[in-house]
Amino acid sequence: MKTSRIYWFIILSIIGLQAVQAQYAEDALRFSQFGSSVGARSQGMGNTIVGIADDYSALFGNPAGLSQQKSYDFSIGMSRLGYSNDVTLFDNKTSDNNNVINLNNLGIVFPIATVRGGLTFAFGFGRVANYTSIASFDGFNPSSSIIQSLTSNANTYNYTDDEYNNFLNNSITYQLFLANKFRDTLNLDEGIIPLVTGGVQQNGTVREGGGINNWSFGGGIDVAPNLSIGITLNLISGSYSYDRAYNETEPTHSLYYQSDPSSAGYFSEFESQSTIRSNISGFNSLLGLMFRQPKYSIGLTMRTPTTYDITETFSDSYNSHFVNVNALEPITSDGSTEYKITTPWIISGGISIRPTDWLLIAGDAEYTDWTQIEFDSNNQDLIQENRNIKSWLQDTWNLRGGAEASILSIGLMVRAGIEWKPSPWKDDPSDYDQLIYTAGIGFELDESSTLNVSYALGDWKTFRDNYYLGVGPASRTSELVTTNTVNLTFSHKF
């Protein structure tokens, strides 16, 4: 998962200033992916669920397995995510972390009395994705500046006076004395050029938050002695937040001189701040099938595409500072937008094998064609982004495996597992894939109550482009992400 592949674009036009926020392939991919499975037992076994599905978490993993439940079951769980990131910019490493605690699951399973077979329903809440992340960076860039990317290269030679004045009034860098006018009558060229072109210290922090919640109702029924089917209906709610603070300073305060009388002095600092707040709603369903034998079970699920309605507000602020010059008023802009995203089908298969009474082994495989992500819009920019998705993304197989050993004499269960999530981006190297190692224990508090605890350690590499000048990366960070997730789930049968 490329949670940090963010391209930050600013479009300057002669009719106004627009900060382009979200609505890129990265954003559509973020909302299309799910995180760890619901419940500590499943997470402890490498997030395997499709071929097991014998507790409350079946509602989110394979509802066909609910028919195995013959008693009422109440479940509640909490999770803590720790996100650490070692970011390198121009050979200088910066480390930072971000933590969050969430309700992971809450719900109830209620069986219906039948003459033969099983019919069981479940209702509840599950946290299926978490967007908490962070990236802090600090490095010296000798050859470029974000000010170059913010400076329009439009040729204004044939503009009318009103068009030319409007162009200047709506230029961030010109209004902040970070760009100068030029005119070349020989080549019929005119416009503005950036004052700062490199030799700057670049630092900033990008902090993300939010997540996706499922409010789910589902059921499973035996349609044959060893065969069950099920369905879960998911109402989806969630949020996403993005906060970015970025600064550039010229350490010597002697490299770039602005001669304009309004701000005569050497350039000292440029600063910008950007925020995005998104409210998310949607709907999907999960269809499940399970075939059971005494020593093994086989499961199959299909998750329908999710249609998300996303309402977004955004805000940007920019300012510049010069030596011995009074501070300027910052330039700010804000706005809001709405858009829709449709996610791909997700098809999963799983098997669980019980070679002995005390050992359970399970594995899942999950297929997703990420090129099927789509913005639902007539906006030409989003239509182009749909084309980009087809070109940039690929299909993947996520693989999960785990085991559970029961120490029956003391009611203790020990678990371990691993999950592999290949990068959805084409041509990514293998170290951009996510590897998640898990472990867990379960303890029977009494005949009816069980406490499960799990731990998951994930790591992968990614990168971030702070801005783009059109010829290769101009300010690219290399990032090493480590996640630590602890999940605690209590369940009680009655």
Side-chain angles (χ1 to χ4, degrees), residues 155-457:
N155 185 356
T156 63
Y157 194 85
N158 294 317
Y159 282 14
T160 66
D161 289 344
D162 287 343
E163 289 173 336
Y164 184 66
N165 289 331
N166 198 36
F167 169 78
L168 295 178
N169 290 336
N170 288 288
S171 168
I172 293 174
T173 53
Y174 184 78
Q175 292 300 316
L176 293 176
F177 302 98
L178 297 173
N180 297 316
K181 293 186 287 186
F182 77 91
R183 184 176 178 84
D184 182 353
T185 56
L186 181 63
N187 295 309
L188 304 181
D189 194 11
E190 181 183 72
I192 57 176
I193 58 175
L195 175 68
V196 182
T197 57
V200 290
Q201 193 75 23
Q202 299 177 332
N203 65 82
T205 298
V206 178
R207 189 183 299 268
E208 296 174 288
I212 294 292
N213 306 314
N214 277 7
W215 302 88
S216 305
F217 175 78
I221 183 172
D222 289 335
V223 295
N226 299 314
L227 183 67
S228 61
I229 59 174
I231 184 172
T232 299
L233 306 178
N234 298 307
L235 290 177
I236 297 171
S237 67
S239 64
Y240 170 69
S241 65
Y242 172 91
D243 291 277
R244 182 181 192 265
Y246 177 90
N247 287 71
E248 281 188 359
T249 58
E250 198 284 285
T252 68
H253 297 171
S254 62
L255 191 58
Y256 300 107
Y257 186 77
Q258 174 56 261
S259 58
D260 190 293
S262 301
S263 186
Y266 282 99
F267 167 76
S268 173
E269 181 181 13
F270 169 78
E271 57 183 356
S272 70
Q273 296 181 351
S274 301
T275 62
I276 301 172
R277 296 291 183 270
S278 302
N279 291 319
I280 306 164
S281 61
F283 174 84
N284 67 30
S285 59
L286 179 66
L287 311 175
L289 176 75
M290 178 168 278
F291 176 74
R292 299 186 302 273
Q293 287 293 312
K295 291 293 185 179
Y296 68 90
S297 296
I298 298 174
L300 176 69
T301 65
M302 294 186 295
R303 188 180 301 275
T304 65
T306 305
T307 299
Y308 285 115
D309 292 293
I310 300 172
T311 302
E312 187 173 275
T313 60
F314 51 85
S315 176
D316 297 278
S317 175
Y318 312 91
N319 208 350
S320 62
H321 302 275
F322 294 83
V323 177
N324 298 325
V325 176
N326 292 333
L328 302 173
E329 288 293 323
I331 293 176
T332 60
S333 65
D334 53 61
S336 62
T337 187
E338 297 180 4
Y339 57 100
K340 294 178 181 290
I341 293 173
T342 301
T343 71
W345 285 85
I346 300 175
I347 302 173
S348 302
I351 185 170
S352 64
I353 302 172
R354 189 174 288 280
T356 67
D357 291 339
W358 58 270
L359 181 63
L360 176 66
I361 302 171
D364 290 351
E366 180 179 276
Y367 175 78
T368 310
D369 184 358
W370 302 107
T371 67
Q372 301 304 303
I373 298 173
E374 186 173 70
F375 287 99
D376 182 8
S377 175
N378 293 322
N379 183 295
Q380 289 301 311
D381 291 336
L382 294 186
I383 291 174
Q384 178 57 47
E385 203 61 21
N386 285 336
R387 298 188 188 105
N388 293 338
I389 288 170
K390 301 290 186 186
S391 300
W392 295 345
L393 300 183
Q394 64 182 350
D395 59 345
T396 62
W397 283 93
N398 293 349
L399 302 178
R400 302 183 284 264
E404 175 186 79
S406 301
I407 304 175
L408 300 177
S409 60
I410 60 174
L412 180 68
M413 292 152 284
V414 181
R415 308 178 181 110
I418 187 171
E419 181 176 14
W420 174 52
K421 293 182 176 182
S423 172
W425 300 89
K426 286 183 180 178
D427 303 321
D428 269 354
S430 60
D431 55 2
Y432 281 48
D433 299 345
Q434 288 192 33
L435 277 177
I436 301 171
Y437 307 91
T438 73
I441 58 172
F443 188 71
E444 295 178 354
L445 302 176
D446 54 37
E447 293 182 354
S448 302
S449 302
T450 303
L451 183 67
N452 291 302
V453 182
S454 63
Y455 171 77
L457 171 66

